[in-house]
Amino acid sequence: VVSPVVVVDCPRVPSVLVEELGRLGVATVHEAAGRSGLCGIGLHPIKPGLAAAGTAITALCWPGDNLAVHVAVEQCRQGDVLVIATTSKCSDGYVGELLATSLRARGVVALVTETGVRDVAELRRSGLPVWSRAISAQGTTKAQIGGVNVPVALGGTVVHPGDAIVADDDGVVCVPRARAAGVAEAGAQREAKERASRARLAGGELGLDFYGLRGALDDLGVRYVQYSDWLEEEP
Amino acid sequence: VVSPVVVVDCPRVPSVLVEELGRLGVATVHEAAGRSGLCGIGLHPIKPGLAAAGTAITALCWPGDNLAVHVAVEQCRQGDVLVIATTSKCSDGYVGELLATSLRARGVVALVTETGVRDVAELRRSGLPVWSRAISAQGTTKAQIGGVNVPVALGGTVVHPGDAIVADDDGVVCVPRARAAGVAEAGAQREAKERASRARLAGGELGLDFYGLRGALDDLGVRYVQYSDWLEEEP
Amino acid sequence: VVSPVVVVDCPRVPSVLVEELGRLGVATVHEAAGRSGLCGIGLHPIKPGLAAAGTAITALCWPGDNLAVHVAVEQCRQGDVLVIATTSKCSDGYVGELLATSLRARGVVALVTETGVRDVAELRRSGLPVWSRAISAQGTTKAQIGGVNVPVALGGTVVHPGDAIVADDDGVVCVPRARAAGVAEAGAQREAKERASRARLAGGELGLDFYGLRGALDDLGVRYVQYSDWLEEEP
Amino acid sequence: VVSPVVVVDCPRVPSVLVEELGRLGVATVHEAAGRSGLCGIGLHPIKPGLAAAGTAITALCWPGDNLAVHVAVEQCRQGDVLVIATTSKCSDGYVGELLATSLRARGVVALVTETGVRDVAELRRSGLPVWSRAISAQGTTKAQIGGVNVPVALGGTVVHPGDAIVADDDGVVCVPRARAAGVAEAGAQREAKERASRARLAGGELGLDFYGLRGALDDLGVRYVQYSDWLEEEP
Amino acid sequence: VVSPVVVVDCPRVPSVLVEELGRLGVATVHEAAGRSGLCGIGLHPIKPGLAAAGTAITALCWPGDNLAVHVAVEQCRQGDVLVIATTSKCSDGYVGELLATSLRARGVVALVTETGVRDVAELRRSGLPVWSRAISAQGTTKAQIGGVNVPVALGGTVVHPGDAIVADDDGVVCVPRARAAGVAEAGAQREAKERASRARLAGGELGLDFYGLRGALDDLGVRYVQYSDWLEEEP
Amino acid sequence: VVSPVVVVDCPRVPSVLVEELGRLGVATVHEAAGRSGLCGIGLHPIKPGLAAAGTAITALCWPGDNLAVHVAVEQCRQGDVLVIATTSKCSDGYVGELLATSLRARGVVALVTETGVRDVAELRRSGLPVWSRAISAQGTTKAQIGGVNVPVALGGTVVHPGDAIVADDDGVVCVPRARAAGVAEAGAQREAKERASRARLAGGELGLDFYGLRGALDDLGVRYVQYSDWLEEEP
């Protein structure tokens, strides 16, 4: 049987890029990355308005067992985001108040987990932003480990250690380390463009004209029909 | 292949009826309509306490494509509710801050969508009430169209353009145009009756007596058993 | 056909124990009970921050019918929690503002239901804490009954009448009557121990050391590998 | 409260068109209809290989109650498909062996239901093709009715009485009465075209060339990269 | 912490009653039991056509751990059905070919599990009928135990050790030991009645007349409307 | 915006290893890999009894668009398995009879997709084994591409091009290229061991003794209690 691995000292996206990505937010970063990296739907913040950005440390756990999380904590540094995935789906409460205390002590800026969390009232008060699939008081054992800082799948997206993770009310997005600079730059350009668009749309200009879509409607053979004529035509 | 249709100038439920239905709220309207028109569960407001009522403009989209939404915006007038459905299930973010800006510019009073939305922090601040199935930063293309102002299925209920849509914390209900007046009247009567009921129940009167249900229990052969006797009888 | 039963005068966990269990909260009580009694995930409080504890009165309903709830109300006393289950899954709104008024009039301290609830804006204001699977304006009939104060399954856990129910942001847990004293005592001990742990973890001590987990890692054959070495080894 | 309606003597798609649509099958019909009318995923045939086509008679039921089905049976004629929807989601067994016996006696050619069915072993032997959301032994009451031959939503698609319903291993599709002739014709053309395509693809011609997609790849800026070069570029 | 319990030598429903309940099948037994005891939807047989009946031995497991199953095997006798539930939801493969071999060696007549199973091709060939929530190759540990022969919740129904379990293509139903005789008798009566009904319905008699439902339609205010008149009335 | 990539000429697990992994089957391979690589639950074969093994070619698609699949077909060689993932969840029918014809023409041995498939009756007859999340007649566009032969997440597991994919009735497992030899060897050993175990368990030996689990029960404080004593103790 293949033995589990803990990868140490992975390189990380530089903090200046992480900050810029965080400032841009999930939706803009996702667009700037060519619509890649979004970690699915269903990773909910534990309260509205949370936002965070950092570098990924990954913990791959067995169902119902958080030993890999304890191992991962030691690998975390200031500015990291702990990312928890499991070898098979599990909604148990992998992290509660005590682990959150440890994470804050290591300078971790956010927790993103495919599992559940517990002590959620305390987590909300704690200042550690958390995105999770579920809330569950069900605790875990500490007997098995899948790996730490191995690539994991987070909501259908592959996350490598050291990648940038951005999370807010729109969900969680992962930017691979090699693309962080390019995405940050593309994001800033997109931001500027959207600012201009917003003004014109607020002034009443239609998206049909603004984006030049009327030709596409003709190509698709779209017909405009008066309601009364349409009633005749349909049953 | 059949070409897509945009139906224009559909008649709408008069605004005075829409307002009255909105005042009654989803639960009362649904009852007054003979328990019809409820658009399923799972259309969640993007924050607690939202409430709105308006007349439906429908956009039928392809999965991952919001061209029909841009077409529908042009058909919207003051007091309309934009209703988005898709030809196959899709949780992508069909509407974000920019489209919301357009909708507000057209006087749209609410957005109800079978899809996801994005820029949800901005949407919460924007003053446009939104009910959606999901939150997702995943954007859409603008290349296909199912139809605009065709009948759509919203959470298992058929919505025609011009129907009244009422939405609040209890979900979303659709009142067909031809029934709006009758439902508003029946709703007002129900409201008055509930006010009286509330006072008596608050005073301690039991529903069993209030609704005259004890006879039904006899008909069903319901037996009242002391706990100790029941322990004997059961394993 | 077997006729339905209403069990009356079931013994209840004493209120002093209920209060202590409520003070400890769901996560601690669940641990103290040997990780048993948790009523699954998905029983959501209707607003954040709700917490309650009481003794169970159970209503077993048919799908789409809340007659058993009306029967159960009469069996409720000060300090009870009404627990609603159904013979087949149903998300309809079994309880709204009127029934909530009745429940408060009987001194019921919380409602926990496998079904939906409605009038949720009013319920949030009402002072009755509610945990439910769904929100739905769809009303119910009053024609059938499964039973009252029979054992029911709540999120995969068996609840008997008179058991202690504790509910908060972490979900809902049930403590069987015969175990309430033992669980309360074990919970208090656990609470004291966690207080000490929190201080040490906040000071930077690692869970790996604190819980003595490093030996387990050796036993599992866990390998620590530098990132650059690992790149060589993996594709 | 608005009272329920039973619509009688609705016009139906002529049987010659229904037969042709049935011959083409669900996937081809759906394409020919401009990719509209598909009744979602999750309407499963009760055994592999079933196929049927007929004209819709709709029954709109309350959750847990199949009175509308009994009313609808009387409206069914030779060649009809009974379509069952509910006012709120319900997986109970609305139809079992006895109702299936009635349906066969009326000449009904298929049953399509948003609910569950029961006596499924008998249904498989009975010769009545059935598509349902679920299998459940849970019976229903006969006390409420939503309507018969009113428009209903079937898996997100609106079905009117008299529409053509085609069902096979790929699911269920609805063709509105006014479009049946056009769709049948477009379907036959598509069928001929696919026959030709199949031969060329079987001979090894690539879809990229066959559909002329290489230009689109250039427009999207797609880069072809050797595996070894890509390893350098990515982390 | 409360320690786990293995209850031994529980009394069982006599085999003659179990056989009769098995002969009647799930749907009839469920009706005869006053529509109680059905173990939800989603417990699927691993192949069509399986049917079994026996007495319950219950194993309550932790997520991802099947130690309780191994303990339960020793408590199984000829004619038992092994029922597996978990303290929190888990789809892992709790039982594969090896455990199935053990179960057959003990005379177990069926396996019903809230979890997944694996080696499903071998299980299909093995002659042990299996109903499960899922199929998963993910194995389990053997380190924790919830209890054996404690009451468990199976698809929302409470199962006690010694209860009769009947399973077929319609799902799984549990008959409490104290009710087995009554249910078997009521089931036989129902069976006779259904035989008579089938003949009349096959002859074309309508359920509306057979069950005397036309009066109910009048009471509900149901209106019969010609299609053409209804088109006028609706939008 | 980052442009999409098609990686060509990736190295593949040698066919002799692929064959051996296929012979061992999903459950054994998953165990031999240290319980890693299982691609979740819910990837269902389109008929019972299918089994296949090959090397992965990955297509990362946009929702509702299968252009990446057409690109990937060109990269497929004899012995490959086509693996389709999407940037956001989509159940549309990405592959039907025509694409299956192309895949067979290229020597592809299986299709595994996170999406739906269509023409399922034809696919069942075609001789191409298929594992998919859904069946849907809904077609796709050919306008967008996520990437080809980039790492993708398949049911929560990361798949790289060239990895070995094994699929059967138990689901789908991925073995990274660098581990294939080790896993094949460990699997063969496990197979031999299981053969011996099966004989002893078939002879009636208990898992409790065979695996030496009785000590663990003592450590957990498990109590064996007669049914009658337990009745006293519990409510």
Side-chain angles (χ1 to χ4, degrees):
Chain A
V1 224
V2 181
S3 60
V5 165
V6 179
V7 180
V8 301
D9 294 326
C10 63
R12 289 152 162 99
V13 171
S15 63
V16 59
L17 285 179
V18 170
E19 267 170 50
E20 172 67 357
L21 293 169
R23 194 186 62 75
L24 293 167
V26 170
T28 299
V29 165
H30 173 60
E31 288 290 338
R35 295 199 174 163
S36 67
L38 192 69
C39 300
I41 60 170
L43 284 170
H44 301 295
I46 56 170
K47 63 178 174 186
L50 293 181
T55 42
I57 291 297
T58 69
L60 181 59
C61 297
W62 283 36
D65 191 295
N66 74 351
L67 177 55
V69 177
H70 289 280
V71 175
V73 168
E74 190 177 26
Q75 304 306 320
C76 288
R77 302 182 192 160
Q78 174 68 36
D80 284 337
V81 171
L82 180 60
V83 172
I84 304 176
T86 52
T87 55
S88 76
K89 230 172 179 75
C90 185
S91 62
D92 292 350
Y94 275 59
V95 171
E97 192 194 1
L98 291 182
L99 261 170
T101 301
S102 270
L103 291 172
R104 285 198 315 277
R106 309 277 312 167
V108 167
V109 297
L111 166 68
V112 177
T113 178
E114 285 280 350
T115 70
V117 292
R118 60 178 177 173
D119 301 331
V120 70
E122 288 80 5
L123 292 182
R124 281 177 187 141
R125 283 193 297 263
S126 76
L128 180 74
V130 176
W131 283 256
S132 75
R133 287 257 170 238
I135 292 169
S136 170
Q138 175 83 24
T140 48
T141 53
K142 297 185 193 74
Q144 307 285 347
I145 174 168
V148 166
N149 282 336
V150 295
V152 297
L154 186 66
T157 282
V158 183
V159 176
H160 290 83
D163 286 351
I165 301 290
V166 182
D168 60 23
D169 283 325
D170 281 349
V172 179
V173 70
C174 170
V175 182
R177 193 161 52 86
R179 297 193 181 170
V183 170
E185 195 186 322
Q189 288 167 10
R190 187 179 166 89
E191 196 184 34
K193 201 175 119 198
E194 289 209 341
R195 204 173 302 127
S197 309
R198 198 176 303 120
R200 288 172 60 183
L201 294 166
E205 193 167 341
L206 287 171
L208 281 183
D209 300 313
F210 185 77
Y211 300 111
L213 300 170
R214 293 195 193 270
L217 299 184
D218 288 345
D219 294 347
L220 293 167
V222 173
R223 293 183 304 128
Y224 281 76
V225 186
Q226 282 291 316
Y227 180 77
S228 48
D229 296 338
W230 181 76
L231 271 193
E232 295 299 303
E233 191 178 308
E234 291 287 320
Chain B
V1 223
V2 181
S3 60
V5 165
V6 179
V7 180
V8 301
D9 294 327
C10 64
R12 288 150 162 101
V13 171
S15 63
V16 58
L17 285 179
V18 171
E19 269 170 47
E20 172 68 357
L21 293 169
R23 194 186 62 74
L24 292 168
V26 170
T28 298
V29 165
H30 173 60
E31 288 289 337
R35 294 198 175 164
S36 67
L38 192 69
C39 300
I41 60 168
L43 284 170
H44 301 295
I46 55 170
K47 63 178 175 186
L50 293 180
T55 43
I57 291 297
T58 69
L60 181 59
C61 296
W62 283 37
D65 191 295
N66 75 350
L67 177 56
V69 177
H70 289 279
V71 175
V73 167
E74 190 177 27
Q75 304 306 318
C76 287
R77 302 180 192 161
Q78 174 68 37
D80 283 338
V81 171
L82 179 60
V83 173
I84 304 175
T86 52
T87 56
S88 76
K89 229 170 182 74
C90 186
S91 62
D92 291 351
Y94 276 59
V95 172
E97 193 193 2
L98 291 182
L99 261 170
T101 301
S102 270
L103 292 172
R104 285 197 315 277
R106 310 280 308 169
V108 166
V109 297
L111 166 68
V112 178
T113 178
E114 286 280 349
T115 70
V117 292
R118 59 177 178 172
D119 302 330
V120 71
E122 288 80 3
L123 293 182
R124 282 178 187 140
R125 282 193 296 263
S126 76
L128 179 74
V130 176
W131 283 255
S132 75
R133 288 255 170 238
I135 292 169
S136 170
Q138 174 83 26
T140 50
T141 52
K142 297 186 192 71
Q144 307 285 347
I145 173 168
V148 166
N149 282 337
V150 295
V152 296
L154 185 66
T157 282
V158 183
V159 175
H160 291 81
D163 286 352
I165 302 289
V166 182
D168 60 23
D169 284 325
D170 282 349
V172 179
V173 70
C174 170
V175 183
R177 193 161 53 87
R179 296 193 183 171
V183 170
E185 193 186 322
Q189 288 168 8
R190 187 177 166 90
E191 196 185 33
K193 202 175 119 197
E194 287 209 342
R195 203 172 303 127
S197 309
R198 198 176 303 120
R200 286 173 60 184
L201 293 166
E205 194 168 340
L206 286 169
L208 282 183
D209 300 314
F210 186 77
Y211 299 111
L213 299 170
R214 295 196 191 270
L217 300 184
D218 289 345
D219 294 348
L220 293 167
V222 173
R223 292 182 306 127
Y224 281 76
V225 186
Q226 282 291 317
Y227 179 78
S228 47
D229 296 340
W230 181 76
L231 271 194
E232 295 298 304
E233 180 177 319
E234 290 288 319
Chain C
V1 226
V2 182
S3 60
V5 165
V6 179
V7 179
V8 301
D9 295 326
C10 63
R12 287 150 164 100
V13 171
S15 63
V16 59
L17 284 179
V18 170
E19 270 172 47
E20 172 67 357
L21 292 169
R23 194 187 61 74
L24 292 168
V26 170
T28 299
V29 164
H30 173 59
E31 287 290 337
R35 296 200 172 162
S36 67
L38 192 69
C39 300
I41 59 168
L43 284 169
H44 302 294
I46 56 170
K47 63 178 175 185
L50 293 180
T55 42
I57 291 297
T58 69
L60 181 60
C61 296
W62 283 37
D65 191 294
N66 75 351
L67 177 55
V69 177
H70 289 280
V71 175
V73 167
E74 190 177 27
Q75 304 307 319
C76 287
R77 301 180 192 162
Q78 174 67 38
D80 283 337
V81 171
L82 180 61
V83 173
I84 304 175
T86 52
T87 55
S88 76
K89 227 166 183 78
C90 185
S91 62
D92 291 351
Y94 275 61
V95 171
E97 192 193 2
L98 291 182
L99 260 170
T101 302
S102 271
L103 291 173
R104 286 198 314 277
R106 309 278 311 168
V108 167
V109 296
L111 166 67
V112 178
T113 177
E114 286 280 347
T115 71
V117 292
R118 60 177 177 174
D119 301 331
V120 71
E122 289 79 4
L123 292 183
R124 282 178 186 140
R125 284 194 295 264
S126 77
L128 180 74
V130 176
W131 284 255
S132 75
R133 288 257 169 237
I135 292 170
S136 170
Q138 175 82 26
T140 49
T141 53
K142 298 185 192 74
Q144 306 286 347
I145 174 170
V148 167
N149 282 336
V150 295
V152 297
L154 186 66
T157 282
V158 184
V159 175
H160 290 83
D163 286 351
I165 301 290
V166 182
D168 60 24
D169 283 324
D170 281 349
V172 179
V173 69
C174 170
V175 183
R177 193 161 52 87
R179 296 193 182 170
V183 170
E185 195 187 321
Q189 288 167 9
R190 186 178 166 88
E191 197 186 33
K193 203 174 117 197
E194 288 207 343
R195 204 173 301 126
S197 308
R198 198 176 303 120
R200 288 173 59 183
L201 293 167
E205 194 168 341
L206 287 170
L208 282 183
D209 299 314
F210 185 76
Y211 299 112
L213 299 170
R214 294 197 192 267
L217 300 184
D218 289 344
D219 295 348
L220 293 167
V222 173
R223 291 183 305 129
Y224 281 76
V225 186
Q226 282 291 319
Y227 180 77
S228 47
D229 297 339
W230 180 75
L231 271 194
E232 295 299 304
E233 173 177 330
E234 290 287 320
Chain D
V1 223
V2 181
S3 60
V5 165
V6 180
V7 179
V8 301
D9 294 326
C10 63
R12 287 149 163 101
V13 171
S15 63
V16 60
L17 285 179
V18 170
E19 268 170 50
E20 172 68 357
L21 293 168
R23 194 187 60 76
L24 293 167
V26 170
T28 298
V29 165
H30 173 59
E31 288 290 337
R35 296 200 172 161
S36 66
L38 191 69
C39 300
I41 61 169
L43 284 170
H44 302 293
I46 57 170
K47 63 178 175 186
L50 293 179
T55 41
I57 291 297
T58 68
L60 181 59
C61 297
W62 284 37
D65 190 296
N66 74 351
L67 177 54
V69 177
H70 290 279
V71 175
V73 167
E74 190 177 24
Q75 304 307 319
C76 287
R77 301 180 192 160
Q78 175 68 39
D80 283 338
V81 171
L82 180 60
V83 173
I84 305 175
T86 51
T87 55
S88 75
K89 228 172 181 73
C90 185
S91 62
D92 291 351
Y94 275 59
V95 171
E97 192 194 2
L98 291 181
L99 261 170
T101 301
S102 270
L103 292 172
R104 285 197 316 276
R106 309 280 307 170
V108 166
V109 297
L111 166 67
V112 178
T113 178
E114 286 278 350
T115 71
V117 292
R118 59 177 179 173
D119 301 331
V120 71
E122 289 79 4
L123 293 182
R124 281 176 187 142
R125 284 193 295 263
S126 76
L128 180 74
V130 176
W131 285 256
S132 75
R133 289 255 170 238
I135 292 170
S136 170
Q138 174 84 24
T140 49
T141 53
K142 297 185 194 71
Q144 307 285 347
I145 175 170
V148 167
N149 282 336
V150 295
V152 297
L154 186 65
T157 282
V158 183
V159 175
H160 291 82
D163 286 351
I165 301 289
V166 182
D168 61 23
D169 283 325
D170 282 349
V172 179
V173 70
C174 171
V175 182
R177 193 162 50 88
R179 297 192 182 172
V183 170
E185 195 186 321
Q189 288 167 9
R190 187 178 167 87
E191 196 184 34
K193 201 175 118 198
E194 289 209 342
R195 204 173 303 126
S197 309
R198 198 176 303 120
R200 289 172 59 183
L201 293 167
E205 193 168 340
L206 287 170
L208 282 182
D209 300 313
F210 185 78
Y211 300 111
L213 299 171
R214 294 197 192 269
L217 300 184
D218 289 344
D219 295 348
L220 293 167
V222 173
R223 293 183 304 130
Y224 280 75
V225 186
Q226 282 291 316
Y227 180 78
S228 48
D229 297 339
W230 181 74
L231 270 193
E232 295 298 304
E233 180 178 317
E234 289 288 318
Chain E
V1 222
V2 181
S3 61
V5 165
V6 179
V7 179
V8 301
D9 294 327
C10 64
R12 285 146 163 105
V13 171
S15 62
V16 60
L17 285 179
V18 169
E19 268 170 50
E20 173 68 358
L21 293 169
R23 194 186 61 75
L24 293 167
V26 169
T28 299
V29 165
H30 173 60
E31 288 290 337
R35 295 198 174 164
S36 66
L38 191 69
C39 300
I41 61 169
L43 284 169
H44 300 294
I46 56 170
K47 62 179 175 186
L50 293 181
T55 41
I57 291 296
T58 69
L60 181 60
C61 296
W62 283 36
D65 191 295
N66 75 350
L67 178 55
V69 176
H70 289 279
V71 175
V73 168
E74 189 176 28
Q75 304 306 318
C76 288
R77 300 178 192 164
Q78 175 68 38
D80 283 337
V81 171
L82 180 60
V83 173
I84 304 176
T86 52
T87 55
S88 76
K89 229 172 182 74
C90 185
S91 62
D92 292 350
Y94 275 60
V95 171
E97 193 194 1
L98 290 182
L99 261 170
T101 302
S102 270
L103 291 172
R104 287 197 314 277
R106 310 282 306 172
V108 166
V109 296
L111 167 67
V112 178
T113 178
E114 286 279 350
T115 71
V117 292
R118 59 177 179 172
D119 301 330
V120 71
E122 289 80 4
L123 293 182
R124 281 178 187 141
R125 285 194 295 264
S126 76
L128 180 74
V130 175
W131 285 254
S132 74
R133 288 256 170 238
I135 291 170
S136 170
Q138 174 83 24
T140 49
T141 53
K142 298 185 193 74
Q144 306 286 346
I145 174 169
V148 167
N149 283 336
V150 294
V152 297
L154 186 66
T157 282
V158 184
V159 175
H160 291 82
D163 286 351
I165 302 290
V166 182
D168 61 23
D169 283 325
D170 282 350
V172 180
V173 70
C174 171
V175 183
R177 193 162 51 90
R179 295 191 183 172
V183 169
E185 195 186 322
Q189 288 168 9
R190 187 177 166 90
E191 196 185 35
K193 202 174 119 198
E194 288 207 342
R195 203 173 302 127
S197 309
R198 198 176 303 122
R200 289 172 60 184
L201 293 167
E205 195 168 340
L206 288 169
L208 282 183
D209 300 314
F210 185 78
Y211 300 110
L213 299 170
R214 295 197 191 269
L217 300 184
D218 289 345
D219 295 349
L220 293 168
V222 173
R223 292 181 307 128
Y224 280 76
V225 186
Q226 281 291 315
Y227 180 77
S228 48
D229 297 339
W230 180 76
L231 271 193
E232 295 298 304
E233 184 178 314
E234 290 289 318
Chain F
V1 224
V2 181
S3 60
V5 165
V6 179
V7 180
V8 301
D9 294 326
C10 63
R12 287 149 162 101
V13 171
S15 63
V16 60
L17 285 179
V18 169
E19 268 170 50
E20 172 68 358
L21 293 168
R23 195 187 60 76
L24 293 167
V26 170
T28 299
V29 165
H30 173 59
E31 289 289 338
R35 295 196 172 165
S36 67
L38 191 70
C39 300
I41 61 170
L43 285 170
H44 301 295
I46 56 170
K47 63 179 173 184
L50 293 180
T55 42
I57 291 297
T58 69
L60 181 59
C61 297
W62 283 37
D65 191 294
N66 74 352
L67 177 55
V69 177
H70 289 280
V71 176
V73 168
E74 191 178 24
Q75 304 307 320
C76 288
R77 303 181 191 160
Q78 175 68 37
D80 284 338
V81 171
L82 180 60
V83 173
I84 304 175
T86 51
T87 55
S88 76
K89 231 174 179 74
C90 185
S91 62
D92 291 351
Y94 275 59
V95 171
E97 192 193 3
L98 291 182
L99 260 169
T101 300
S102 270
L103 291 173
R104 285 198 315 276
R106 311 273 317 163
V108 166
V109 297
L111 166 67
V112 178
T113 178
E114 286 279 350
T115 71
V117 292
R118 58 178 179 173
D119 301 331
V120 71
E122 289 80 4
L123 293 183
R124 282 178 187 140
R125 283 192 297 263
S126 76
L128 180 74
V130 176
W131 284 255
S132 75
R133 288 254 170 241
I135 292 169
S136 170
Q138 174 83 25
T140 48
T141 53
K142 298 185 193 71
Q144 306 285 347
I145 175 169
V148 167
N149 282 337
V150 295
V152 297
L154 186 66
T157 281
V158 183
V159 175
H160 291 83
D163 287 351
I165 301 290
V166 182
D168 61 22
D169 283 326
D170 283 348
V172 180
V173 70
C174 171
V175 182
R177 193 162 50 88
R179 297 194 182 171
V183 169
E185 194 186 321
Q189 288 167 9
R190 185 177 169 89
E191 197 184 34
K193 200 174 120 197
E194 288 207 343
R195 204 172 303 126
S197 309
R198 198 175 303 120
R200 287 171 61 182
L201 294 167
E205 194 168 340
L206 287 169
L208 281 183
D209 300 314
F210 185 78
Y211 300 111
L213 299 170
R214 295 196 192 270
L217 300 184
D218 289 345
D219 294 349
L220 293 168
V222 173
R223 292 181 307 127
Y224 281 76
V225 186
Q226 281 292 315
Y227 180 77
S228 48
D229 297 339
W230 180 75
L231 271 193
E232 295 298 304
E233 189 178 311
E234 291 289 317

